[in-house]
Amino acid sequence: MTSSSPSTSAVPRPPHTFRSVFPVLALCWLAVFFDGMDVNIYGAVMPHMLDDTGLGLTPATAGTIGSWTTFGMLIGALTAGNLTDWLGRRLMLVSSVTLFSVGSALCAVAPGVGLFGAGRFVAGLGLGGLMPLALAMVMEFAPPRRAALTTGLLMTSYHFGGMAATGLGLTLAPALGWRWVFWAGVLPAVIAVPLLLTLLPESPGVLLARGERSKADAVADRYGLSRPTPVEAPAAGAAGRLAAVRALFRPESRWATPLLWVASFCGLLLVYGVSTWLPQMMRASGYGLNSSVSFLLVINAGGIVGLLIAGRTADKFGAVRVSAIWFVLTAAGALLLKAHLPLGVTYAVVAVTGVWLFSAQVMVYAATDTVYRDSERAAGLGWVTGVGRTGAVVGPWLIGALAAGGNESWGFTTFALAGLVGAIAIALVPLAGRLGSSAPATAAVAPAATGAGSSDA
């Protein structure tokens, strides 16, 4: 392996800029675009599905199926890491896209709610694995000191996908029926999978963890990255994965980790609660069917603007500070939506709420970069995403339970409370880090006295 190093180092290395890593960012952007489209399809067509008496969907079962989707996402997020050890991030991204395309096809042919729910669960398995993998890839390839901006740019694709889903719901569903919208959800397997297989490189860190040093160096050199070192490589295998989880609770991060989990829970409760139920909640508030569905388009458009603002702002002032402020503003927007305002004012409030809501959660992801070391980043991000998925499970189910009782308006209060709790949790992360950082200095005295210091190195 050492003989290959001189040949790779002789190749001129491009500068590590957005331009040098554009192919990776663009491919991950495309994959997350289809992720956002699939997540938002259900909310975009739910009013039409509830009107389809042959399907047998009710508000209560609609919320339950929304939770099946996000329960699949929880499983997908928590298992993607171990499967990545075998397949690598590139093939796992391909598998994720394939899974949620198959799930969409099952939904399109489902004769009743049973098979439809199974299709959404299968889609959730793919959706849950894709997001942490794409985030880990772009953070690894991101130019220096541009992690927050790169994360924000990636997540704009989610909202462009949400807008595409809303457009399909507004055009295909009324003209051809809601099933054709789910057939459109099969397109990712046709478009994205071939591109990912042929053009996306493997993660240098994953290659190094698998013992493929020459391949890792070659990929790093091709895209202008620093060559990975063993400390930057994610742990492989079951034992390595367990060690990676234990590392999340080392003294410097033992208190920050659960706070990040709480913030992610609240953020994903908001994201998936709103994506699933906003059109139906607005319809129940007295707005027309087309207006209610178009609110999903508007809030995703606001999300794109918010991510562009949040990424640049976080690079200047820190992801934690931006996330906390954005959560508070989201809570304020949710309370305003509880009031039945004139249509034009409501559109403005929905758009502004979208600016804050989605990027508050994305900045939680970006904040992991300030808490975890390079070797812990993938595990930390995976667990912040995975544990947060419980909020994605609770959100659609809880709003569905409220809707079944005719209390959709309480959903806005629920969103406001989630925003406030998320703000408190993420705002406490720096304090938790400072409290934990004093522990190693105290613990280091004992090894020095006993001669056992080498075991902590």
Side-chain angles (χ1 to χ4, degrees), residues 289-360:
L289 176 58
N290 284 341
S291 295
S292 297
V293 175
S294 64
F295 285 131
L296 198 59
L297 178 72
V298 171
I299 202 166
N300 276 291
I304 294 170
V305 175
L307 287 167
L308 296 174
I309 295 171
R312 289 188 174 276
T313 307
D315 280 335
K316 286 186 177 181
F317 301 105
V320 168
R321 185 178 301 174
V322 170
S323 181
I325 295 171
W326 266 224
F327 268 123
V328 171
L329 292 171
T330 298
L335 289 177
L336 282 174
L337 289 176
K338 189 173 183 179
H340 189 88
L341 303 169
L343 184 60
V345 176
T346 302
Y347 272 119
V349 173
V350 169
V352 172
T353 302
V355 170
W356 318 124
L357 187 157
F358 299 103
S359 49

Side-chain angles (χ1 to χ4, degrees), residues 46 174 301 364 380 440:
M46 186 189 294
V364 174

Side-chain angles (χ1 to χ4, degrees), residues 2-21:
T2 55
S3 60
S4 63
S5 295
S7 61
T8 55
S9 61
V11 178
R13 289 165 50 87
H16 189 187
T17 62
F18 277 114
R19 184 173 182 177
S20 66
V21 297

Side-chain angles (χ1 to χ4, degrees), residues 115-420:
L115 184 59
F116 182 86
R120 292 308 292 162
F121 176 78
V122 171
L125 291 173
L127 295 166
L130 187 144
M131 188 66 74
L133 287 165
L135 284 165
M137 282 288 282
V138 299
M139 290 178 77
E140 181 177 10
F141 281 79
R145 297 178 297 281
R146 289 292 183 266
L149 177 59
T150 306
T151 303
L153 288 172
L154 173 71
M155 292 305 296
T156 62
S157 61
Y158 176 92
H159 300 292
F160 276 113
M163 293 172 69
T166 308
L168 292 170
L170 287 169
T171 55
L172 282 184
L176 301 174
W178 60 265
R179 294 181 186 275
W180 279 98
V181 181
F182 283 98
W183 279 122
V186 181
L187 289 175
V190 178
I191 298 172
V193 165
L195 292 174
L196 292 170
L197 280 173
T198 56
L199 300 177
L200 186 69
E202 183 53 270
S203 154
V206 170
L207 289 170
L208 181 60
R210 289 158 58 173
E212 301 178 70
R213 158 65 73 180
S214 60
K215 290 183 179 180
D217 288 348
V219 172
D221 291 345
R222 189 185 316 146
Y223 293 94
L225 281 64
S226 299
R227 291 183 175 183
T229 61
V231 73
E232 295 170 341
R241 194 64 56 186
L242 182 59
V245 174
R246 285 199 303 266
L248 304 183
F249 292 91
R250 62 190 173 87
E252 293 87 347
S253 58
R254 64 166 57 133
W255 301 114
T257 290
L259 286 170
L260 287 170
W261 290 358
V262 171
S264 185
F265 173 92
C266 294
L268 287 173
L269 186 153
L270 284 163
V271 168
Y272 289 96
V274 168
S275 297
T276 303
W277 279 103
L278 181 64
Q280 186 60 25
M281 288 170 65
M282 300 306 284
R283 190 184 186 190
S285 296
Y287 298 96
L289 176 58
N290 284 341
S291 295
S292 297
V293 175
S294 64
F295 285 131
L296 198 59
L297 178 72
V298 171
I299 202 166
N300 276 291
I304 294 170
V305 175
L307 287 167
L308 296 174
I309 295 171
R312 289 188 174 276
T313 307
D315 280 335
K316 286 186 177 181
F317 301 105
V320 168
R321 185 178 301 174
V322 170
S323 181
I325 295 171
W326 266 224
F327 268 123
V328 171
L329 292 171
T330 298
L335 289 177
L336 282 174
L337 289 176
K338 189 173 183 179
H340 189 88
L341 303 169
L343 184 60
V345 176
T346 302
Y347 272 119
V349 173
V350 169
V352 172
T353 302
V355 170
W356 318 124
L357 187 157
F358 299 103
S359 49
Q361 170 63 21
V362 173
M363 291 303 105
V364 174
Y365 297 148
T368 62
D369 199 46
T370 67
V371 174
Y372 301 119
R373 299 175 296 193
D374 290 336
S375 59
E376 301 159 0
R377 184 183 298 128
L381 186 59
W383 277 88
V384 167
T385 307
V387 174
R389 294 290 183 197
T390 57
V393 173
V394 170
W397 168 82
L398 180 58
I399 307 304
L402 292 171
N407 298 311
E408 286 96 338
S409 63
W410 282 97
F412 295 113
T413 304
T414 302
F415 293 151
L417 289 173
L420 290 176

